[in-house]
Amino acid sequence: MQTQALIFDIQDLSVQDGPGIRTTVFMKGCPLKCRWCSNPEGQLPYPELMHLNVLCNRTHNCILACPNKAVKSDDEYGAPVFDRSICRNCETLDCIESCPTFALKVSGKYITLEELIKKVKPNMPYYKNSGGGVTFSGGEPFLQAEFIRKFMDETSRFGLSVGVETCGMFDMDDVSGITEKLDFIYFDLKCMDDEIHREVTGSSNKIILSNLKHLAEKFSSKIIISVPVVPGVNDFAEQIKPIAEYCRKLGIYKIRLLPYHSMGEGKYYDLGREYKMDKNLSVPVKQLAVFKNLIESSGITCWLE
Amino acid sequence: MQKTREIKSIPSTDRVKLIRDRYLSEPLFIDSEYIKYYTEAHAKTDGFNVFERRAECHSFALENLTPFIREGELFAGSKTRYVRGAIPYCNYASRYILREFKNEEAEAQDAVTDIGEGGGIAKAKQIAEKSDFEFFCKKYLISKEDKQALKDSAEYFLGKSMQDVGDSLWRNIFEQAEYIDKGWQAGLYTAPHDPAPEGRYVLDFETALTQGFNGIIARLKDKIKNTEVTDFKSAEKIYFWRAGIRTLEATIKWAGNYAAKAEEMAKTEKDVKRKKELLEIAKRCKYVPANTPRNFRDAVQMFWFIYLAGHIEGAHLGYSPGRFDRYMYPFFKMDKDAGTITDGEALELLEILRVKMTEIEYVASFSWAGLGSGNLFQNMILGGLDEKGHRGDNALSLLVLQSAINCQTTQPTLSVWYDDSLSEEFLLKAIDCVKTGCGFPAWFNMKVYIQHELQKSNLPVPLIRKYAAMGGCTEPTMEGMSYGVVQAGFINHGKIFELAMNGGKDPRTGIQFDETPVPQNYNELYEAYKFHMRNSIRNWQRYWNMVMSAHRQTCNLIFSSVLVRDCIERGLSLDDGGAVCNGTPTTLSSGMVNIVNSLSVVKKLVEEEKFISMDELRTAMNKNWEGYEKLRSKAIAAPKWGNNDDFADSIYEDLFDTYCGYVSGQKNYLGEPYDPSMLAISTHAPFGKVCGATPDGRYATETLCDGVTSPFPGTDTHGPLAVLHSAGKIDHSRIRGGLHNMKFHPSTLRGIQGSKKLLSLIKTYFDTLGFQIQFNVVDSEMLRDAQQHPENYRDLIVRVAGFSAFFVELGKTIQDEIIRRTEHDI
Ligand code: SF4
Ligand code: SF4
């Protein structure tokens, strides 16, 4: 079988995904369902129709075009509403072509190993001159570990640097042989309190913590911990401090803080989902500085993004 | 709301702030003083030798200009009596001026040209409504008295101006004269360029600063003394040298007028400090430009006199200061070593210089003003190499960059000659300047230009390294040794394509050009395209050569000739081929990317997929896609330039090659092959307005592509690196110029890491032999524009803390949030 991956985006020149000029490959599908997730299109492991509300002119071409009668007009605003259970199995995607304002697109497509290599290989001079490379992000990239393994086998021949951003929820056996070759691992740590973790992500953090421990035994120097600072979840010292202490214990000395924002909200509606966070919440800059100091006081380098 | 950016600064002193704010609050004026005296002298010099007449007219006018020194200024010299004044050069073209007087319908193209209405222009309107001034040429104020003088001059020059003399030649003897007229009507060409044809070159400041005008005059006198008149050629040389002396002496006298003015002002000045400054200005203006500068302040004053006098002599666009950080550095270093100037003092002078250069205005026919966006394209280029091939940046380069960061004015635009050897400090400072959002410096690949110039002129490499400069927006030129009237205007690729599609008939106006078979397939279309491209280029070049013969008789530059190598040595003016480089005249065009994309669509949908016939496609174009939405979707999905896809990229490569071949197949009026070039300035908007729909998915009247190698907005779906791969495929060493725009959201470039990324991007693009790249760091204003016109910003990605999306796909409230964050740089 052809090796392929389900991705929802590829971006050049990303900044927050590691050193140098990088191409980030966003893999689709994630075992966690964090409420604050700002890329919800990365969560479900299949392609999804996105209705870009802001570009929609309410022409209703899509309603007429759909052969499966999956689209209705929302009574109040006249916006098209899609029956996702039908769309999920749609093969024609007639609605997309019918839209004059390009307000419909599919998020998620399968890309073969060859295609991805063909795309990134010409970028080598840019990676080389800047110390950059490719970062697999998501979603959870390790859900498609096999693809990453083969990708790295192929690209190590021309010296491509590869890094990963993981939510930490994966099977350790799947990634053996990959992790040693990665140049860095951004590892998410939301909170140490399992109960809260369960509540806001839908899963226990036991596997995550154990994965982190295992990884740190061998590669603590290439791990950077990402902590999303989310109001009501972990925006108090009692939650932040244990993270820092745990990292220290594992010999991990880099933590980046990603303050919550609600900019992903629109995408939830574009995907026909509900946004469950209170979008008016935010973490005051002052508070972030306090956390930064707190973390740094345990001898860890910390920065905000 | 206060805008904050990662890099933002303010004028370094109150003095600069005063001078800059004065500029910002000033309306635009027409000043007829120069042309009044010029006309007076012209009437008295009938029968003179052409060089001497030209020199006399300019010199007499220059000597009689009213000197103006304004509050706060540390060096003297103003082009006109107004802060923002323009000289109407009736000697170049006067009919458009008379036409304005009569408020006649402007040229056919004016209807499709927008000029800015904000700022100074709006203020001019207000003032005109309640004062003695009148509103003129849609953006200037003119006094009653000046208006009469201008009218007299304009009438006097009827039949005598460059345009009239040129017209009377080509309109009568050129068998393709009608073609040119049609080209103007159809929008195949930009409007006649005669009102402001000069510029795009750099004077030999180095020689002037090291020899002084007295030194140059002595050389000229020597030449005269040692030349025996044996034929008309040797006699002409003597006339030329005498004319040169006249202009140099007039410039010294003009500087003297400023000295006298400063002294007079000092007498009544109460402020002791200012009085002292005025006396210093007086002393300096008596000393330079006759003698060589004794220090940096002298050098700045001398630079300004030379630069300005040259600017006054000709109707310039793209006239540039060149490698300022190189030729000014010895004076700066001398003072620094002696401890007689601080960085802060030098910075203040440089910031003032920025405002002074921005104060220069020009007036041209309405359509040209719209095209150039009122921009004078003065280009100061930094860095590069020295003659031995070592890095060319220095402490002064850093200060020039800082002055642009502190004092954000539109002129001069800054550029960097990129080489890997440039110091990191300099490069990072240049990136800081980019981050202010001003759009410059633009980056140019030294390596590629050296290759171009070697192929073109075969000059020694050390010379190319040392004197490579930029004349105008993106056209390289050899500083102090190149001919400056380089082009006739632009050719519209969009229109050529329409002619090819429709058998040589312009669908908008119905004008029939050379008839060609109406194409039924891709190859026929491509052949027709080539035919019309060659035809339009060839006719345009031949027309312009004839205009240039009139230039020699009426407007040959004398002052500038003696300040360009080797005119003095050869005893030849610029128009007689006195310059070292006479291959500079270029043929310009814009909009090729839209044609490449259109051809790609035809190849894909008509040729390969047989989805539609050529006739149907033509109908779809004529109906502006109405009823052809599905076809348009398919057209949009077809391969496009800028995605590292050989299907489309190979069309560009081939078309580019063909274009270069056609252009250099014709000789310029100095007897050398024309040099191919492509730019956009602001032609893409008016050119787009006269074009119907094109197969690339563009609607009728929509703007054309704004660069040479940058993709059409929304068609680059494979990310910025793919765009650069495409752009890198072209042999940039074949053309003089190039333009590649890239947009970034500031979040992409944040911090030192962001700066370094941008530098590696530039370096790598230039490793692949790209020639030019410039960056637009998106600001909140642009994002608001993106809310209004999402179609132009489809590729703009925003990434904030893990979140990623195309800006135009976000909801209004989130867009607003991002705009807020952009303003506060978070
Ligand atoms: S076709 Fe497009 S614009 Fe029209 S209603 Fe559907 S999504 Fe909206
Ligand atoms: S994706 Fe398919 S089923 Fe869903 S609306 Fe579009 S055409 Fe209909």
Side-chain angles (χ1 to χ4, degrees), chain B residues 502-572:
Chain B
N502 298 290
K505 192 173 186 166
D506 174 37
R508 185 179 64 104
T509 57
I511 295 175
Q512 179 71 50
F513 290 73
D514 300 63
E515 212 172 319
T516 42
V518 176
Q520 295 304 329
N521 58 42
Y522 177 79
N523 282 337
E524 285 176 21
L525 173 64
Y526 199 41
E527 285 313 308
Y529 186 78
K530 286 188 187 170
F531 173 86
H532 288 289
M533 177 158 84
R534 191 200 338 235
N535 225 10
S536 59
I537 292 172
R538 185 60 58 91
N539 290 340
W540 195 227
Q541 292 170 326
R542 290 176 64 197
Y543 145 74
W544 190 243
N545 284 355
M546 282 179 259
V547 175
M548 286 317 296
S549 71
H551 182 268
R552 185 195 179 275
Q553 294 172 54
T554 55
C555 294
N556 198 347
L557 301 175
I558 307 299
F559 174 76
S560 298
S561 288
V562 294
L563 290 174
V564 170
R565 268 172 274 191
D566 266 338
C567 291
I568 295 182
E569 291 312 310
R570 298 181 186 176
L572 296 173

Side-chain angles (χ1 to χ4, degrees), chain A residues 49 66-68 70-71 82 86-87 90 92-95:
Chain A
L49 184 72
C66 174
N68 307 318
V71 206
F82 299 80
I86 302 178
C87 292
C90 176
T92 64
L93 299 175
D94 284 345
C95 60

Side-chain angles (χ1 to χ4, degrees), chain B residues 157 179 221 349 458 666 672 700 765:
Chain B
F157 273 103
Y179 186 101
K221 287 188 171 159
L349 287 169
N458 207 17
Q666 171 75 37
E672 296 204 24
Y765 178 55

Side-chain angles (χ1 to χ4, degrees), chain B residues 150-189:
Chain B
L150 177 57
K151 197 159 182 223
D152 293 346
S153 292
E155 275 164 2
Y156 173 85
F157 273 103
L158 278 178
K160 301 186 188 72
S161 70
M162 177 186 106
Q163 185 167 39
D164 286 1
V165 174
D167 281 3
S168 74
L169 183 65
W170 70 267
R171 284 192 184 283
N172 288 312
I173 67 155
F174 186 28
E175 78 279 7
Q176 295 289 349
E178 203 195 338
Y179 186 101
I180 300 296
D181 265 329
K182 286 181 189 169
W184 281 325
Q185 284 158 23
L188 173 64
Y189 301 133

